[in-house]
Amino acid sequence: MTISGEVSVEGIVLKNKAYKENDMLVWIYTKDYGKIALIARGAKKLKSKNAPACQTITLGDYTFIPRIGLSTLIKASSCDYFRHIKEDIELESYASYFIEFIYKFTKDNDPDELSYKNLFLVLKYLDAGYDPKLVYLLFNAYIMEITGSALEVEQCTVCGRHDHIAGISIHGGGFVCQECIGIYDLKLEVDVLKGFRYINLCKLENIDRLHLDEAVIIKLIEIMEAYIDEFTGMTFQSRKFIRQFNGL
């Protein structure tokens, strides 16, 4: 980061931790500058005006002095605490998963407008009362896409045919037809196959167009988690809580 002087940006707090006696390290994700590490001096003090905006799962405005490595926070004000998320341990577990992915996957000072937009959307959806399992499915489809592992949902991954799709291959990365389905592939009902296609084609902003039965959603969660494990190589602390809530 080579900007001189103070900079003011909107950002979402991904992580914080104590630093020295009264200070705090804060990582925020911004549309314009990507992930930024800030040192918030005095943020641990009870009377600190910056402390509320330095809490995780918070949208705020942040003014800081850019530096190589740690930048210095000057002032911070909260725009949205996502109060309903923080009042519900299940919603908070989903939000923590979304934030954990962005924190682990993104690089410092490497902006990605789509990642910022989608992180903001999923937090707003959770806070507004959307089905967290459906939000989770769409975000996992986005993870597959952004990590370069978008799934094939238009044709058989083996022979390329568009009809007689019978299941999916975890290793193959998508649909398989009835002629190519193997012993390790998943043979699925039509409604699950349709749901699998929908969630991998639907953008997060179009969530209102998706209407899936609860049983289909639960099955798709299990499938998408298998793909995340197979293709991304990433592990998530927060996911164990999500699995407990969904009985997986």
Side-chain angles (χ1 to χ4, degrees):
M1 190 179 298
T2 59
I3 301 169
S4 60
E6 293 184 3
V7 170
S8 294
V9 296
E10 179 186 86
I12 299 169
V13 179
L14 304 176
K15 181 180 178 180
N16 63 34
K17 71 175 183 178
Y19 181 71
K20 297 184 178 179
E21 185 175 355
N22 294 312
D23 303 339
M24 185 180 291
L25 298 181
V26 184
W27 287 263
I28 65 171
Y29 195 69
T30 73
K31 180 173 64 176
D32 297 319
Y33 302 104
K35 184 172 64 180
I36 301 169
L38 303 174
I39 179 167
R41 301 197 183 281
K44 288 172 61 181
K45 294 181 179 179
L46 294 177
K47 295 182 179 180
S48 171
K49 294 181 179 180
N50 291 334
C54 292
Q55 303 308 306
T56 55
I57 317 176
T58 298
L59 175 73
D61 288 320
Y62 303 87
T63 300
F64 61 95
I65 300 175
R67 296 283 188 270
I68 299 297
L70 278 177
S71 297
T72 303
L73 180 68
I74 303 301
K75 62 180 179 179
S77 60
S78 302
C79 301
D80 195 335
Y81 289 111
F82 300 108
R83 179 172 59 86
H84 293 107
I85 292 176
K86 293 174 181 176
E87 291 174 348
D88 187 312
I89 189 171
E90 181 177 2
L91 295 182
E92 193 167 12
S93 68
Y94 284 100
S96 297
Y97 175 81
F98 305 147
I99 285 204
E100 185 179 358
F101 170 75
I102 295 295
Y103 178 80
K104 287 183 174 180
F105 179 73
T106 59
K107 299 177 182 178
D108 292 347
N109 311 129
D110 184 18
D112 181 349
E113 187 172 346
L114 183 58
S115 288
Y116 182 81
K117 172 189 171 184
N118 282 345
L119 177 59
F120 176 75
L121 276 177
V122 291
L123 294 179
K124 290 297 289 184
Y125 287 155
L126 290 183
D127 204 52
Y130 281 76
D131 183 349
K133 293 186 290 297
L134 187 57
V135 179
Y136 179 61
L137 276 177
L138 287 176
F139 193 81
N140 277 335
Y142 171 66
I143 289 177
M144 294 298 295
E145 178 185 352
I146 198 174
T147 56
S149 304
L151 300 174
E152 176 57 70
V153 294
E154 297 288 6
Q155 61 187 18
C156 175
T157 58
V158 179
C159 70
R161 70 185 295 175
H162 292 80
D163 59 348
H164 299 291
I165 299 300
I168 64 168
S169 168
I170 298 298
H171 180 71
F175 279 161
V176 284
C177 70
Q178 63 185 20
E179 298 298 327
C180 297
I181 193 167
I183 59 174
Y184 297 110
D185 299 330
L186 300 176
K187 187 175 179 62
L188 300 168
E189 299 294 331
V190 172
D191 55 349
V192 178
L193 290 171
K194 286 182 176 179
F196 179 70
R197 182 174 184 272
Y198 293 156
I199 63 167
N200 283 285
L201 293 179
C202 183
K203 302 300 182 183
L204 272 160
E205 58 265 31
N206 297 324
I207 191 173
D208 290 323
R209 299 180 186 177
L210 276 179
H211 303 282
L212 301 176
D213 291 339
E214 180 76 6
V216 172
I217 290 175
I218 294 297
K219 184 62 178 178
L220 290 176
I221 286 176
E222 185 179 353
I223 291 169
M224 290 303 294
E225 287 184 348
Y227 276 117
I228 296 291
D229 293 342
E230 177 76 13
F231 285 91
T232 71
M234 300 177 71
T235 57
F236 300 93
Q237 260 190 324
S238 50
R239 200 171 75 177
K240 64 182 180 181
F241 300 107
I242 293 174
R243 293 182 64 81
Q244 289 174 1
F245 286 119
N246 292 320
L248 297 174

